[in-house]
Amino acid sequence: MQIKIKDQTGDFLLDVEFSGAEDGITALYGPSGAGKSSVVQIVAGLRRPQLAEIYLKDTCLFSSAKKINLPPEKRRIGYVFQDARLFPHLSVEANLNYGCKLTPENERFIEFDTVLSTLDIAKLLKRNVASLSGGEKQRIAIGRALLMSPSILLMDEPLNSLDSARKQELLPYIKEISQSFKVPILYVSHSPEEIRQLADKVIVMDAGRVTHSGSCESTLDSKF
Amino acid sequence: MTEWFQLSPFEWSALRLSLIVAIWAVTISLPFGIALAWVMARKQFPGKFLLDGLLHLPLVVPPVVVGYCLLVLFGRNGALGSWLESIGITLAFDWKGAVLAAAVMAFPLMVRAIRLSIESIDLGLEAAARTLGAKPLRVFFTITLPLALPGVLSGFILAFARCLGEFGATITFVSNIPGETQTLPLALYTYTQIPDGETGALKLCLIAIAIAILALIASEFCARWLQTRTQSENRRAD
């Protein structure tokens, strides 16, 4: 994944350039307001940058030079939001299937049953979305994003709305999916603990710029 | 006493025509109402406030003015009326004209209710659907519209009630022809203009109230049913 973005909104200049690993978990780390979420939104196509070159493997998602701007539905990017954003009028099962159904069969490489067992959500299938706990919702959201067989999974502070016990509960699942499924993860967080437990590579952002990047140990240790 | 429970052919035809006109008016305008409500809720464009004002016009101008405008536009010699006439559609002094008058008068209420419910839908849900591979049209039909359904329903029922009560625009545009354009309010008005019409007027008045109450009950019932079915995500578990 190659990302290069320049975007000015008001006083805030976002000017980043980095490449993410083709597998494993790459963490995007930095304090609130560093511009991490903007990067993820731009990569997913939910926000239009002024200048950018974004490549995922060989696919160009956005290029100012080539005048390419793929709409979000064509980017094949699984996005897990801070708030789970489950569709309240659909059952858990229909939520999980939403993206899966829209993926052509020959592009599906992630099995429904494997996702259910990895995330331990089989017993939730018939439940009403409103009756789920925060941790359960986030697991369904991760499953929903995985089931569209994405080329990459973007996770924007997925544990933020959970208490610390729930966070610890969810971390192993995230570690597990990066290993069981061949999907690289870009994981946004402001918590060094989470990153220590999860990430293979870290990109540190501050005030709209990349300040460090490298392996998890070297980067985090040099900073703290 | 039994005459209280029997409707004369005159009253029957007015009641039947009222229901037919109202049902046609809301059914035909509903797709336009939903489309316009979506545009007003989700799009920004120059002249939006003008369109918004124009949209609310039938609510604020005297109904007679609306009826007169319709007559000028859709009368036999009107700009649109003569064109419609050439393809075999006559609106003036015809029950179809009563449908148009009712639809125009009820349209702002319908759009308003639907627009409010679309505006209350979390844009994040639509964004999530996009990232999952849904094109904008699919997002609309699988996420936006189902979540706006309570508003669509209340807009439909409000508009239906407004159509049943339509008087001024109708009588101006299509006149008061028994069996053709004489809806319930027009028949009621006719009763008040003739000697010994009080009993009939009272009867029609009670019918109008009964229909309105039924519509309100139906709307409340449907709203509750939808609510238990959709359970908004606002109630986060933690």
Side-chain angles (χ1 to χ4, degrees):
Chain A
M1 181 175 52
Q2 301 290 326
I3 294 170
K4 199 167 142 185
I5 301 169
K6 239 184 201 156
D7 188 66
Q8 176 96 41
T9 23
D11 288 340
F12 186 76
L13 175 70
L14 184 67
D15 184 1
V16 292
E17 184 171 352
F18 64 87
S19 53
E22 298 288 324
D23 55 10
I25 302 181
T26 306
L28 197 55
Y29 169 77
S32 318
K36 309 181 299 289
S37 286
S38 306
V39 170
V40 181
Q41 282 167 16
I42 288 170
V43 171
L46 295 178
R47 212 178 115 170
R48 196 195 166 105
Q50 283 151 354
L51 269 176
E53 304 293 324
I54 301 167
Y55 287 85
L56 194 60
K57 290 181 187 143
D58 304 324
T59 319
C60 175
L61 301 182
F62 188 98
S63 166
S64 308
K66 292 189 201 157
K67 300 210 183 309
I68 292 174
N69 179 15
L70 281 190
E73 66 269 19
K74 293 214 174 116
R75 296 194 179 197
R76 309 228 45 76
I77 289 178
Y79 197 143
V80 179
F81 300 85
Q82 253 180 59
D83 45 340
R85 299 200 187 173
L86 299 182
F87 305 130
H89 59 301
L90 301 177
S91 70
V92 167
E93 191 171 7
N95 265 281
L96 287 169
N97 279 321
Y98 191 90
C100 182
K101 275 197 229 156
L102 297 170
T103 308
E105 263 177 69
N106 57 0
E107 286 176 30
R108 290 182 203 165
F109 60 89
I110 288 178
E111 300 275 337
F112 192 72
D113 292 338
T114 327
V115 170
L116 289 193
S117 58
T118 311
L119 291 168
D120 201 10
I121 49 178
K123 58 184 184 301
L124 305 175
L125 279 188
K126 298 295 169 205
R127 292 266 293 276
N128 189 314
V129 166
S131 71
L132 300 176
S133 73
E136 287 169 335
K137 275 183 189 165
Q138 208 51 281
R139 262 147 63 201
I140 302 297
I142 294 170
R144 182 176 71 175
L146 266 177
L147 279 164
M148 66 176 285
S149 302
S151 335
I152 185 173
L153 208 51
L154 303 180
M155 299 183 126
D156 187 2
E157 314 220 19
L159 308 183
N160 229 16
S161 56
L162 307 179
D163 58 50
S164 55
R166 296 283 162 281
K167 279 182 188 164
Q168 285 308 322
E169 209 179 279
L170 217 66
L171 281 169
Y173 288 113
I174 297 174
K175 192 83 193 159
E176 173 76 20
I177 54 173
S178 78
Q179 285 158 1
S180 335
F181 305 102
K182 296 221 170 329
V183 180
I185 297 177
L186 183 65
Y187 187 93
V188 175
S189 178
H190 63 255
S191 148
E193 273 168 71
E194 282 174 27
I195 289 176
R196 248 183 252 279
Q197 290 188 54
L198 290 173
D200 305 305
K201 184 183 171 184
V202 182
I203 292 154
V204 183
M205 276 184 73
D206 195 18
R209 288 166 187 279
V210 174
T211 53
H212 295 74
S213 73
S215 75
C216 187
E217 294 78 23
S218 64
T219 315
L220 283 186
D221 290 344
S222 71
K223 260 209 117 210
F224 308 100
Chain B
M1 189 63 202
T2 50
E3 79 200 45
W4 270 98
F5 300 99
Q6 281 170 352
L7 294 178
S8 68
F10 172 81
E11 292 154 357
W12 260 123
S13 90
L15 175 60
R16 205 176 50 231
L17 186 69
S18 264
L19 291 172
I20 290 171
V21 164
I23 287 167
W24 272 105
V26 281
T27 308
I28 292 173
S29 52
L30 191 64
F32 299 100
I34 292 173
L36 199 60
W38 182 82
V39 169
M40 298 307 284
R42 287 284 189 258
K43 297 288 164 192
Q44 296 302 327
F45 51 90
K48 181 175 171 177
F49 80 100
L50 268 177
L51 181 63
D52 201 22
L54 200 68
L55 197 66
H56 282 90
L57 219 51
L59 271 186
V60 287
V61 300
V64 185
V65 173
V66 175
Y68 183 71
C69 291
L70 288 174
L71 194 59
V72 170
L73 276 172
F74 291 97
R76 291 234 159 87
N77 303 317
L80 292 164
S82 52
W83 174 75
L84 282 172
E85 186 102 357
S86 69
I87 57 168
I89 300 172
T90 308
L91 293 178
F93 309 111
D94 188 283
W95 73 275
K96 293 194 275 308
V99 171
L100 179 66
V104 168
M105 291 305 295
F107 199 61
L109 288 173
M110 178 187 271
V111 172
R112 197 177 170 75
I114 301 171
R115 175 184 175 172
L116 285 175
S117 78
I118 291 178
E119 278 172 348
S120 73
I121 297 169
D122 181 3
L123 280 170
L125 293 175
E126 296 177 1
R130 290 292 297 276
T131 66
L132 287 165
K135 294 196 176 87
L137 198 66
R138 180 181 290 272
V139 173
F140 176 77
F141 280 110
T142 59
I143 308 294
T144 317
L145 191 57
L147 288 175
L149 214 54
V152 172
L153 196 80
S154 75
F156 187 90
I157 288 174
L158 262 174
F160 180 76
R162 180 67 189 82
C163 287
L164 282 179
E166 209 332 272
F167 178 82
T170 308
I171 203 166
T172 315
F173 180 36
V174 293
S175 183
N176 186 359
I177 308 162
E180 185 65 43
T181 66
Q182 190 174 63
T183 56
L184 200 123
L186 271 59
L188 181 55
Y189 168 75
T190 306
Y191 266 140
T192 64
Q193 301 298 304
I194 54 173
D196 306 323
E198 289 88 352
T199 318
L202 189 58
K203 219 193 300 185
L204 289 182
C205 172
L206 291 174
I207 290 172
I209 292 171
I211 295 174
I213 290 173
L214 276 177
L216 281 178
I217 291 172
S219 130
E220 189 64 19
F221 199 76
C222 292
R224 287 212 186 141
W225 171 73
L226 279 172
Q227 207 171 17
T228 54
R229 210 190 57 138
T230 57
Q231 297 278 343
S232 174
E233 210 186 355
N234 300 338
R235 278 197 304 129
R236 294 239 162 79
D238 50 336

